[in-house]
Amino acid sequence: MAELSAQDERLLRRAIEVSARSVANGNTPFGAIMADPAGRVLLEAENTGITGRNTLNHAETNLMNLAVTTLNPHQIATATLYTSCEPCAMCSGSMYWGGLNRMVYGMSEADLLEITGEDPSTATMRGVGCRNILQSGQRDIEVSGPHLVEEASAIHIGFYDQFLLSDQEKGLLRRAIDVSTRSVANGNLPFGALLADPDGNVLLEAENSDITGQSPLNHAETNLMRLAIEKLTPEQIATATLYTSCEPCAMCSGSMYWGGLNRMVYGMSEADLLQYTGGHQLNPTMTGVGCRAVLQSGHREVEVKGPFLIDEASVIHRTYWTT
């Protein structure tokens, strides 16, 4: 698979962000955008199957319906459609008949099926593939994908995993979110984490202390792992779960791996956080790596679950980064 250009990568990430927004708006995690050759975004569309009470309201079909009513044929023909997930047969057909000539997608149909399984509520199509449709007509449509699979998959994993998160775990994650709010009250950045044993008893809590501790290394999760190594036994750490208000960065993920942790649950994703922080000097959010890439790349695989409770975890961030 050919590598994406920097422009294509940026635009595909924006489509992935739209998929996260779709979930926040009460729908399933699919998003798409259309951009002109210069990389200017022309249109965006989310899935609206739930709120629109119409199972045909897929993100890409919504986008093509919008395109044919607001753009001229030349604009569509020279544009690229970026979508968070490989389009189904219906959406691929809408691109063909709508006059599109290029499409870039994130996770594949096979990636999606691995997450959704045989869930009849998702009814993921398989075995057709968008290329078979988009390259079977009287004109050949350029298709590029899959790309940024881990980033595109994260919101799906969280969306479908949320139905499996127990009430106890939701309570513990909410407590980590409370710690992130307390961190701000104590003069620091809005991140919080805790460790709990298998019975749900909280062992340790830690806030971010970048500002008051005068060190940009004092992230909540890294602070927590330092504290855990000092106060807990290796067995206690190995059997505990770390709950954190936000997807951990590479540094924090590394501290979990080297500290002997085996399981972690997080709230909002790195992509969610980026929407609020951007390149803020206090938190120049990392992108493109993802905690799973770090925590599942070693000689032992750390279980990762998230994102969850995105709206709740995001509340403090919505106001903090604008003040």
Side-chain angles (χ1 to χ4, degrees):
M1 179 62 58
E3 290 188 8
L4 287 179
S5 68
Q7 177 173 291
D8 279 339
E9 193 169 303
R10 171 178 63 82
L11 291 165
L12 182 55
R13 283 200 171 98
R14 181 153 172 179
I16 294 169
E17 290 170 6
V18 175
S19 75
R21 191 175 70 208
S22 181
V23 173
N25 289 335
N27 290 292
T28 49
F30 301 92
I33 69 169
M34 191 173 288
D36 69 15
R40 292 184 291 262
V41 175
L42 302 172
L43 298 169
E44 294 184 348
E46 309 168 12
N47 177 291
T48 55
I50 297 174
T51 58
R53 298 183 181 181
N54 187 333
T55 54
L56 305 186
N57 288 354
H58 291 198
E60 303 92 334
T61 295
N62 285 348
L63 185 63
M64 289 308 301
N65 282 328
L66 192 59
V68 297
T69 56
T70 60
L71 303 179
N72 63 50
H74 176 73
Q75 286 177 300
I76 297 173
T78 57
T80 297
L81 188 150
Y82 298 86
T83 178
S84 60
C85 185
E86 180 176 4
C88 69
M90 175 183 71
C91 293
S92 298
S94 74
M95 295 176 200
Y96 178 81
W97 292 109
L100 191 78
N101 286 308
R102 183 172 187 262
M103 186 269 292
V104 177
Y105 68 90
M107 63 192 294
S108 71
E109 185 182 66
D111 296 319
L112 179 62
L113 187 64
E114 187 176 329
I115 297 168
T116 64
E118 302 295 334
D119 186 342
S121 68
T122 62
T124 304
M125 299 180 76
R126 56 186 177 183
V128 179
C130 64
R131 284 181 173 82
N132 289 334
I133 295 170
L134 291 171
Q135 298 176 347
S136 66
Q138 298 302 308
R139 71 179 200 288
D140 198 357
I141 298 175
E142 180 187 346
V143 178
S144 182
H147 300 290
L148 307 181
V149 175
E150 182 154 348
E151 293 178 50
S153 299
I155 186 65
H156 288 268
I157 292 168
F159 181 80
Y160 293 106
D161 272 2
Q162 70 179 312
F163 304 113
L164 304 176
L165 200 63
S166 69
D167 288 341
Q168 175 176 286
E169 292 210 291
K170 287 179 183 176
L172 289 165
L173 184 53
R174 286 191 173 105
R175 181 159 169 177
I177 293 168
D178 289 341
V179 175
S180 74
T181 302
R182 190 176 71 210
S183 180
V184 172
N186 289 335
N188 289 294
L189 305 183
F191 302 95
L194 63 84
L195 272 178
D197 70 17
D199 294 323
N201 301 305
V202 175
L203 302 171
L204 297 169
E205 293 182 348
E207 309 167 11
N208 175 289
S209 58
D210 278 18
I211 298 173
T212 58
Q214 298 184 332
S215 172
L217 307 185
N218 288 353
H219 292 197
E221 302 94 334
T222 295
N223 285 347
L224 184 62
M225 290 307 302
R226 290 176 185 147
L227 194 60
I229 290 167
E230 178 186 343
K231 295 185 174 295
L232 303 178
T233 67
E235 183 181 0
Q236 284 178 302
I237 296 173
T239 56
T241 296
L242 188 151
Y243 297 85
T244 177
S245 60
C246 184
E247 180 176 4
C249 70
M251 177 183 72
C252 293
S253 298
S255 74
M256 295 175 201
Y257 179 80
W258 292 109
L261 190 78
N262 287 308
R263 187 169 185 270
M264 186 268 292
V265 177
Y266 68 90
M268 63 191 296
S269 71
E270 184 178 64
D272 297 318
L273 178 63
L274 186 63
Q275 293 182 54
Y276 301 108
T277 62
H280 197 289
Q281 62 179 358
L282 290 176
N283 200 87
T285 304
M286 301 177 76
T287 60
V289 180
C291 65
R292 285 180 173 84
V294 178
L295 290 171
Q296 298 178 348
S297 65
H299 287 283
R300 61 184 175 78
E301 191 170 304
V302 179
E303 181 186 351
V304 177
K305 298 188 71 174
F308 297 113
L309 307 182
I310 297 169
D311 281 348
E312 294 177 49
S314 300
V315 169
I316 188 67
H317 292 270
R318 290 174 194 155
T319 55
Y320 183 84
W321 302 105
T322 57
T323 57

